[in-house]
Amino acid sequence: MSNTWKIYILAIASFLVGTSEFVIAGILDMLARDVGVSVAAAGQLITVYSLAYAIGTPILIALTARMDRKKLMLSALGLFFLGNLITITSSGYGMLMGARIILAISTGVFMVVALTVAAKIANPGKQGGSIATVLLGFNLALILGVPLGRLIAGSYDWKIIFTGIGVLSLIAMIVLLLTIPKSEGEAPVPIREQLALLKTPRISVALSISFFWILGYTILYTYITPFLLTITGMSERMVSIGLFTFGLASLLGSQVGGYGADKWGIPRTMVGGLLFHSGILFLLAAFAHSSMLVLPLLMLWSFFAWSTGPVQQVYLIGMAPQASGIILSLNNSIVQLGMAVGAVIGGIIVDSISLTAAGWLGGIGVALGLIPAVYSLTMRRRSAFEEQTLEN
């Protein structure tokens, strides 16, 4: 089997683990009703997932650094299967919480290792493309996994989704066992060394952009399904269509964001994306009752929201090229932390105010990200000017 096909297999596996993360937002109302908790309480399953991902992944990656990459990847998928098994056999909210923690840390470890393995087995000069392919599989979970999960849950039962994911993860383990070559581990990077980068003001300020960007996004996205059903008044079919177009727009936005960073520059692409992201969330809240307006606004929201991700990664790598892996790992943890906080804030707003208010607060959260963005870009420009002055 060619290395290209092996990378596609990794991409398919990343689609499975990605679906387990994103699908919850699409079936939140059904899950809440079945478990017997409020929608806001069900939303905290996203909070605990994100916290476990943010905290557990870097720790486990550091502890297992010397372990054979193939063995670690298979172990992560085995743990992932266990998380799905607990999900489908759960009898209450507490068991679901435990299952989400297991799914989070197994997904985090698998994605880090899959990206590493993809780069190692890629053909010369194709490392970047191989990583992009694996990430595409993960991102497709948002485009296809979420609306497909909604359709399955509406026709049968939401646990069928996790049954299918669990069975497919076992098949993925067998395929990976037979196709992926062994790969030696790496020298461990202590957590203390990873966190040391946070002491650098320009890096910590830049990372806070990711926090506020995803915080505002998650405040509304966590509760997007009940928002569309109860506030906008969409039918089940329209919600599925809305979730599909939302995911498709996220893919387009990500591609344009990467292109914009090269073509228009980081400052314009980043600040412009945040401005539009925030403004569209305000418009969603203002026109929440109009399904004709909400559907195109959903697409624009997703497009501009996900245009920020690649720009931010390019920006961060440029700050610490000698420690790009560590800074991207930190950024990933910050994003997951922002998702956790956003889900908590969203739950409080939905419980105490309304679903519509989540749109307003989400817009404010994203707008707050403009403060560190402008400050960080100003610091960058000043530093570049000082370096140029010294050279002259």
Side-chain angles (χ1 to χ4, degrees):
M1 180 182 287
S2 69
N3 287 341
T4 301
W5 279 106
K6 292 174 184 177
I7 291 165
Y8 283 137
I9 290 169
L10 290 173
I12 293 169
S14 71
F15 172 79
L16 289 176
V17 298
T19 300
S20 75
E21 174 174 2
F22 296 128
V23 76
I24 285 289
I27 59 171
L28 200 65
D29 57 320
M30 298 177 182
L31 190 148
R33 186 167 57 247
D34 194 39
V35 178
V37 297
S38 67
V39 169
Q44 301 321 302
L45 292 170
I46 294 174
T47 299
V48 74
Y49 183 101
S50 297
L51 282 175
Y53 197 121
I55 298 169
T57 300
I59 293 173
L60 283 175
I61 289 296
L63 292 174
T64 58
R66 297 188 186 280
M67 189 174 175
D68 175 81
R69 301 292 89 180
K70 178 179 179 178
K71 187 181 293 184
L72 179 56
M73 194 159 49
L74 291 172
S75 299
L77 275 180
L79 190 62
F80 179 76
F81 172 77
L82 178 63
N84 282 288
L85 184 62
I86 295 173
T87 300
I88 61 179
T89 57
S90 61
S91 56
Y93 187 64
M95 279 186 72
L96 272 178
M97 278 284 188
R100 294 305 289 171
I101 291 171
I102 293 171
L103 287 171
I105 58 176
S106 58
T107 295
V109 171
F110 176 83
M111 284 306 300
V112 171
V113 180
L115 291 170
T116 304
V117 170
K120 285 184 177 181
I121 66 175
N123 296 323
K126 300 289 185 180
Q127 285 85 357
S130 67
I131 290 173
T133 300
V134 176
L135 286 175
L136 178 63
F138 192 79
N139 293 334
L140 278 173
L142 188 61
I143 300 171
L144 299 175
V146 176
L148 187 61
R150 180 75 194 180
L151 283 172
I152 293 170
S155 303
Y156 303 100
D157 182 87
W158 63 268
K159 289 188 177 182
I160 294 292
I161 301 167
F162 294 95
T163 302
I165 294 174
V167 171
L168 289 173
S169 68
L170 278 180
I171 296 172
M173 285 179 68
I174 296 170
V175 175
L176 290 174
L177 179 65
L178 297 174
T179 59
I180 301 299
K182 289 186 176 182
S183 176
E184 291 183 3
E186 304 167 344
V189 180
I191 297 297
R192 185 180 300 174
E193 186 177 326
Q194 295 184 42
L195 295 177
L197 282 175
L198 293 176
K199 295 179 182 178
T200 307
R202 65 193 186 94
I203 290 177
S204 57
V205 171
L207 284 169
S208 70
I209 301 169
S210 294
F211 178 81
F212 287 109
W213 152 60
I214 204 70
L215 168 79
Y217 171 86
T218 309
I219 286 175
L220 181 60
Y221 182 71
T222 301
Y223 304 96
I224 190 62
T225 301
F227 177 89
L228 295 176
L229 286 169
T230 61
I231 305 299
T232 307
M234 285 187 178
S235 64
E236 278 287 342
R237 182 172 175 272
M238 282 302 297
V239 168
S240 296
I241 292 171
L243 291 174
F244 176 77
T245 56
F246 185 94
L248 189 61
S250 73
L251 181 62
L252 294 173
S254 179
Q255 296 300 310
V256 172
Y259 172 81
D262 296 332
K263 182 70 174 177
W264 307 310
I266 290 171
R268 287 182 182 179
T269 311
M270 181 184 290
V271 173
L274 290 171
L275 278 170
F276 278 107
H277 184 177
S278 176
I280 290 164
L281 279 171
F282 290 140
L283 289 174
L284 268 171
F287 298 102
H289 296 283
S290 172
S291 57
M292 288 185 66
L293 289 174
V294 165
L295 194 58
L297 284 173
L298 273 178
M299 294 181 69
L300 288 171
W301 171 31
S302 182
F303 179 90
F304 285 107
W306 290 104
S307 71
T308 303
V311 183
Q312 176 72 336
Q313 289 179 346
V314 172
Y315 186 45
L316 290 169
I317 289 173
M319 283 187 170
Q322 74 287 354
S324 59
I326 296 175
I327 199 167
L328 290 180
S329 176
L330 280 173
N331 183 58
N332 194 35
S333 291
I334 292 293
V335 166
Q336 291 292 336
L337 184 62
M339 290 176 72
V341 176
V344 169
I345 294 174
I348 293 170
I349 294 167
V350 169
D351 235 3
S352 57
I353 308 175
S354 68
L355 279 162
T356 306
W360 294 110
L361 267 291
I364 292 171
V366 175
L368 288 174
L370 285 163
I371 299 172
V374 172
Y375 181 61
S376 177
L377 290 167
T378 303
M379 290 171 65
R380 175 177 177 253
R381 188 168 58 248
R382 187 183 301 142
S383 176
F385 176 77
E386 289 173 354
E387 287 179 8
Q388 190 175 11
T389 303
L390 287 172
E391 287 177 2
N392 294 334

